[in-house]
Every structure is written in structure tokens, then in C-alpha cells.
Amino acid sequence: MTLFFKFDFNAICQIVLEQILNDNNIKYKSVGFGEIEVLEKLSKEKQDQLQNALANYQIDIVENQKSILVQKIKDTIIDMVFNEDVVVNVKSSVYLAETLEHSYGYLSNLFSEVTYTSIENFIILQKIEFAKQLIIKQEFSLTEIAFRLNYSSVAHLSTQFKNTTGITPSAFQRIIAKRRALNQQNKTD
Amino acid sequence: MQEDYINITLADDDEDDRLFFTDAFDDIKITTRVKTFNDGVYLMDYLNSDDALLPNVLFLDLNMPRKSGLECLKEIKQNPKFKDIAIAIYSTSASEEDIENTFIQGANIYIKKPSDFKTLKKVLAEVVTINWQYHTNSMNKDNFLLRF
């Protein structure tokens, strides 16, 4: 029997983070979006101890201001693409600038400098990732997926999918299905 | 802390191809460390050794003497130790059968070897940049398919 799971990564990370902070007896206030306000002064030892505990979950404390802002840009984009409750009626450049209270030019330059890709490409990559997840679930038609991801048509989604991955959505679906069947077979052999 | 370079490994029996490949990374903004092997046996011996530095992206030529790229791919996919390695097939073949078969066997990337150096640089830069996004954003590698 194979079970499929759906995760809320933000919720999981928040729970893990709070648990570790509690385990380390650190007083804190959650500000949301991977931001924690520590209500006491942390000694160097305590900070190292916390960092080590977090490292087991591959969670890093972000130190540099630029990295923090880039992480906020990424979180905002991921939320914009993946979260159905976030309805964006303006262009994503305007939305990012308003949400993060910096000019888009500044955000865009900073992002490219740190991540080696542009905000535009990152948004496309995340949209295609989301499309992949929906395609694999097979719950929705391509028309529905295109609508959900704000593409003007299926053709537009298919073209962007092909340009980004080099393969068509239907080839993607076929390959993943065959790969899963093969893994299943290897397990039972 | 996150490392700020990418480890790249190539197994290819053609000396020229190995040389072009290594040179192509010189101009890429993301810092890379490139290691090459002359065939699949040398590669697998290294990867299976205890002190091996596992690559972030492994490029496999399909046609190699002694052990082919496909055989390496199958061995790698059967060993959980290698689960974090993104695998790129790097071949002169552009047959749809080879492409689909290697993807099904678990390859993430398929590159038909470009005939000119400029295109090679462009393609490799793109592969490294996209892999970097998967790497730094903990994205699901199971869904990572890319074809050039």
C-alpha cells in the first residue's frame, strides 16, 4: 500500500522551531515568517547550543541582513504562488515592493546578487514546481491548473513548462508515473 | 552554514569532452569544484570509497567502456547514500528512448552534448543555477526534471 502525504511546510517548521526553543529554555515571541524575537540576551554558549540543536533539522540562523531580506522575498513569492488564500491583484513586482517596503529595483538587484537568478525566474520556477505537484496528484486538469496559477491559457502554461524544464507537462506526468511504478517494482522484487 | 560552492563530477571516457567540460565552468558566477573520471568503474570506485566527497551534481556519459552511464545510474539510485546527488546524463545521443528511459531510471537532467563551446557554457551555467535553487531552497528533487 502506498500513502500520499500533503505537508504544510511553514506549520511543520514553526512547530519544530518552537519545540527546540522550549527545549533550550529560551524565552521568545514568534513574529511569523521564520522570524523569532528572543526576549532575553543569549550567551555565546547558549547561542552555539541552539545553533547545534537546529542543525539537526538543517535549520540555519540567518545572520546577514541581505540574506534575511532575500529570504523574505523568497517566502513572499512562495506564499504568493502556493497559498490559495493570498490573492494578488497587482503585478508581482508591485506586490513585493509594497509587502517588503523597498523599491522593486533594490529588491531585484539584491536578489540577483545573492541567489544567482532573477526574481522573475524564481517566480516562474516556483509556479512550475507547483504545477508539477498538481500534475502528479492527477486531481486537476491542465486547464484547472493553468487557471489556479493565473496563466491566461493552457497553451501559455504548457509553453512556460516546456521552456523551463525542456519537457512537456504530459511527458513529465508519464515519466513520473513510470518512475514510481519502477520503484514500486524494485521494492517488491 | 551553507557552503557557497557546488561540487561537480563528470564521468566520460573522451578526453576532449572532459577538457571542454572543465573549461566551461571557469566563467560561471557560482563557484564550482569539478572532478572528472575516465569511466564508470573509476567513478563508482571513488563514490563507494569511505572518504569520497559526494558531488551535488553528477554528469554521466552514457557510452563508456567497462561500465556505462546507465549502469552507474542504476547503482547510484539503489544506494540511499547517494540520494542527494542530482544526476545529469551527458550524452551524444538524443534518442527519445534514451532520454525517457534515463529519466525513468531516476536521472534529473538530460543534456545532449552541444557541438559548440559557447552553447556548452550556456547550458552548464543554466544547469548549475537551477540546481543551486533546488539545493538552497530545499525543493523536492523527485520532481526535478530538466532537458537540454
Side-chain angles (χ1 to χ4, degrees), chain A residues 51 60-63 74 112 114-117 122 125-126 129 132-133 136 164-167 172 174-176 178-179 182 186, chain B residues 1-2 4 29-31 78 100 103-108 129-130 132-134 136-137 139-147:
Chain A
Q51 188 122 35
D60 280 334
I61 299 175
V62 185
E63 284 162 355
K74 286 181 173 178
S112 306
V114 175
T115 66
Y116 306 106
T117 191
F122 190 79
L125 190 69
Q126 292 301 334
E129 271 317 288
K132 285 177 181 174
Q133 287 187 12
I136 291 170
T164 310
T165 64
I167 51 182
F172 175 81
R174 189 174 64 237
I175 288 164
I176 296 290
K178 284 188 180 171
R179 194 192 268 182
L182 181 74
N186 286 343
Chain B
M1 279 277 115
Q2 214 157 55
D4 52 0
K29 271 192 277 169
I30 297 174
T31 322
Q78 270 161 17
E100 187 149 332
F103 274 143
I104 291 168
Q105 298 289 343
N108 301 102
T129 311
I130 294 185
W132 182 258
Q133 308 311 321
Y134 273 85
T136 49
N137 297 296
M139 288 159 69
N140 183 359
K141 279 224 171 81
D142 294 344
N143 295 344
F144 181 19
L145 295 186
L146 184 62
R147 175 186 171 179

Side-chain angles (χ1 to χ4, degrees), chain B residues 79-140:
Chain B
N79 189 340
K81 178 182 158 193
F82 303 133
K83 66 174 174 33
D84 292 331
I85 305 177
I87 301 190
I89 301 299
Y90 184 62
S91 169
T92 43
S93 157
S95 95
E96 288 299 323
E97 203 189 322
D98 279 342
I99 295 170
E100 187 149 332
N101 188 30
T102 47
F103 274 143
I104 291 168
Q105 298 289 343
N108 301 102
I109 304 158
Y110 194 104
I111 303 166
K112 183 191 178 303
K113 284 181 188 172
S115 51
D116 67 289
F117 189 61
K118 213 177 129 200
T119 316
L120 175 65
K121 280 211 290 205
K122 196 174 147 270
V123 167
L124 292 181
E126 213 163 312
V127 166
V128 170
T129 311
I130 294 185
N131 187 71
W132 182 258
Q133 308 311 321
Y134 273 85
H135 184 64
T136 49
N137 297 296
S138 313
M139 288 159 69
N140 183 359

Side-chain angles (χ1 to χ4, degrees), chain A residues 72-94:
Chain A
K72 280 188 181 168
I73 299 174
K74 286 181 173 178
D75 289 341
T76 310
I77 291 172
I78 289 169
D79 211 38
M80 205 162 81
V81 173
F82 283 78
N83 191 344
E84 237 169 307
D85 301 331
V86 177
V87 181
V88 180
N89 293 321
V90 289
K91 272 170 57 179
S92 43
S93 55
V94 177

